[in-house]
Amino acid sequence: MQTNTLNLGLRLARTAPRLPLLSPRRTFTSTPSVFQHDPSQSSAPETTHFGFKTVPSHMKETLVRGVFSNVASSYDLMNDAMSLGIHRLWKDHLLRSMAPAPGTRLLDVAGGTGDIAQRFLTYQDNQGDSSSSVHMVDINPEMLGEGEKRFSGSQWQRDQRIGFTVGNAESLEFIESESFDFYTIAFGIRNCTHPDRVVAEAYRVLKPGGRFMCLEFSRVDNP
């Protein structure tokens, strides 16, 4: 079962088709070579989308950073307004679909203000698990700063169960291969210039049998 959206051989399991939720169970059926990006073979278009505009590909990253730098402090409120608060239900559903085991290591990319990370750690605490951890990555330092504020002074921070790195989802060279059980990206993949590189990096950093979970407004064909 393949998705035509990324065309990378992901096996998807949509557990709530009535919600605009893509929560793929990460079973990569292709060989690792499929996911290795070769710059010399790149056929990336010269233009890409940015909202409803078409922009040069090399400009998108700068434009995205600019937008989120300006809205970082009000980002959660904006999500409430734009989704009438329903995004919170989608994120709760994401955690229930994940059903992480004790000791799970989560990589939350485009983690922003930390609401996925907080839900994950709260969920694990409620299961009596104090060993799970999450590492947040975001390309925008202002957004990541909001996430750090959320966890400042928390027991999770004192126990070193939460970490933060400013980084690009397309190049996670600071993350060791096969080191995480779950990879989440919520409302972030659409802001990446090269989604294929994002998924390739997700494949690399996930342990064998790990799960890639993407929360997004768009739908995919899943024949």
Side-chain angles (χ1 to χ4, degrees), residues 50-70:
F50 177 67
F52 296 104
K53 299 179 182 179
T54 298
V55 299
S57 295
H58 70 275
M59 290 181 58
K60 181 169 180 176
E61 184 176 316
T62 300
L63 293 169
V64 169
R65 283 183 178 179
V67 167
F68 285 96
S69 292
N70 292 330

Side-chain angles (χ1 to χ4, degrees), residues 104-185:
T104 291
R105 296 190 70 206
L106 166 66
L107 181 64
D108 184 30
V109 177
T113 59
D115 50 348
I116 294 291
Q118 185 180 47
R119 278 175 167 78
F120 169 78
L121 291 172
T122 300
Y123 182 95
Q124 294 302 81
D125 285 356
N126 289 340
Q127 307 305 311
D129 171 30
S130 60
S131 59
S132 292
S133 62
V134 54
H135 193 96
M136 287 175 52
V137 175
D138 201 289
I139 198 170
N140 188 282
E142 286 81 13
M143 288 289 289
L144 199 65
E146 293 298 315
E148 290 186 82
K149 289 178 187 177
R150 184 189 292 261
F151 292 98
S152 178
S154 68
Q155 187 64 47
W156 298 317
Q157 184 187 51
R158 290 192 291 272
D159 292 341
Q160 299 183 332
R161 294 175 62 195
I162 179 74
F164 309 89
T165 301
V166 175
N168 190 330
E170 297 181 14
S171 181
L172 300 172
E173 69 278 353
F174 49 90
I175 300 292
E176 183 181 352
S177 297
E178 299 184 0
S179 57
F180 283 89
D181 302 292
F182 285 89
Y183 175 118
T184 53
I185 182 167

